[in-house]
Amino acid sequence: QVRLVESGGGLVQTGGSLRLSCVVSGGTFSSLTMAWFRQAPGKERDFVAAISASATSTNYADSTKGRFTISRDNAKNTVYLQMNSLKPDDTAVYYCAAQYGSIRYARYDVWGQGTQVTVSS
């Protein structure tokens, strides 16, 4: 069974940076499409970024494009989210997600517990 554990969240000032990590255990990491989602208080969970199993394809939400970078290290079973130029609107709980399907489809069926990111103004 695939298990995801996120880390790296915290409090940062506007314009600052954070790098989130998601360590994957169980399953076959090199076959998993990985993604990050986030959920702000009182709002629905939104897509942030995704990376294909081979790391040859990435997708980003318009709100994060150019500021966030998703990457993976298959040797460490870890996916990362580098977040730069952070804004207060980026404040949310960030979730790692996984699926064995294509990056073309948002059928993520394994989720981490989330890590809080708070951006102060």
Side-chain angles (χ1 to χ4, degrees), residues 41-117:
K43 296 187 177 181
E44 294 186 353
R45 189 173 298 187
D46 291 331
F47 170 77
V48 174
I51 186 167
S52 64
S54 63
T56 54
S57 296
T58 56
N59 291 336
Y60 293 92
D62 288 344
S63 60
T64 63
K65 204 171 295 183
R67 299 188 299 124
F68 292 9
T69 302
I70 189 170
S71 62
R72 65 190 295 156
D73 185 338
N74 284 1
K76 295 183 178 179
N77 284 11
T78 302
V79 62
Y80 303 98
L81 185 68
Q82 177 67 43
M83 305 186 294
N84 298 328
S85 302
L86 284 162
K87 308 172 183 179
D89 284 350
D90 295 318
T91 295
V93 177
Y94 283 71
Y95 296 92
C96 181
Q99 60 160 324
Y100 281 111
S102 168
I103 194 174
R104 294 190 299 264
Y105 308 113
R107 296 171 182 167
Y108 297 94
D109 51 4
V110 183
W111 296 83
Q113 82 289 350
T115 185
Q116 176 70 46
V117 171

Side-chain angles (χ1 to χ4, degrees), residues 12-63:
V12 64
Q13 291 185 334
T14 296
S17 298
L18 281 175
R19 188 176 81 156
L20 306 183
S21 300
C22 172
V23 177
V24 180
S25 59
T28 305
F29 181 72
S30 60
S31 297
L32 288 167
T33 294
M34 302 298 300
W36 288 95
F37 288 75
R38 66 186 181 186
Q39 187 167 20
K43 296 187 177 181
E44 294 186 353
R45 189 173 298 187
D46 291 331
F47 170 77
V48 174
I51 186 167
S52 64
S54 63
T56 54
S57 296
T58 56
N59 291 336
Y60 293 92
D62 288 344
S63 60

